[in-house]
Amino acid sequence: VAGLSDPTLLALFARVGVSVMDVGEFFRLLSNDGQESVEADAFLQGCMKLIGPARSMDMMVLMHWYRKDICEQRKYKAFCNKEFEAIQVQLRRLSLRKEQPPCQAVSTQTRIEDILGG
């Protein structure tokens, strides 16, 4: 993380209880795993949330999203299992068709001769 040699920034992290070893993780959290830049306002809000114990509301929000994610994962797992079962059924049907001997093609001329007796 750029700026780790800045004494002011290091003092700020020390003030909010973030060790130098945790700074990278802190920025990953604020930047959506490095996908977004960290604006000054978001940085300050993140620092403020680190001061003191976690608020009950923060924990409630975290638990809400955690439960929602778990529920979505369960739904997706059930969907995938259903789809895989359908694929297995289709594969079994295809393998049964493959195991049956192919029908022998009979030419129209042969059938006419058999019918006419000649």
Side-chain angles (χ1 to χ4, degrees):
V1 176
L4 278 184
S5 60
D6 181 351
T8 306
L9 187 58
L10 291 173
L12 175 64
F13 283 123
R15 168 77 174 99
V16 296
V18 175
S19 73
V20 175
M21 300 300 290
D22 292 332
V23 171
E25 186 64 26
F26 177 70
F27 276 97
R28 274 191 290 283
L29 289 170
L30 293 177
S31 67
N32 192 21
D33 285 330
Q35 301 298 315
E36 302 168 4
S37 63
V38 179
E39 300 295 327
D41 190 45
F43 175 76
L44 290 175
Q45 286 179 6
C47 288
M48 294 303 294
K49 287 184 180 251
L50 292 175
I51 297 174
R55 296 184 329 206
S56 297
M57 187 59 154
D58 291 336
M59 292 305 294
M60 287 179 63
V61 168
L62 179 64
M63 290 302 297
H64 166 76
W65 288 110
Y66 174 76
R67 287 185 187 121
K68 185 174 179 175
D69 285 347
I70 292 296
C71 183
E72 291 298 317
Q73 288 176 4
R74 287 182 181 148
K75 288 179 187 177
Y76 185 68
K77 181 181 176 184
F79 168 78
C80 288
N81 285 337
K82 184 178 176 182
E83 292 296 310
F84 285 134
E85 287 173 11
I87 291 170
Q88 287 177 334
V89 167
Q90 292 296 326
L91 289 172
R92 280 190 215 112
R93 287 181 184 161
L94 288 172
S95 68
L96 289 175
R97 286 185 191 168
K98 189 175 182 180
E99 291 173 4
Q100 294 175 355
C103 297
Q104 292 183 356
V106 178
S107 70
T108 307
Q109 186 63 34
T110 305
R111 283 189 176 170
I112 292 174
E113 289 174 359
D114 289 342
I115 292 172
L116 298 177

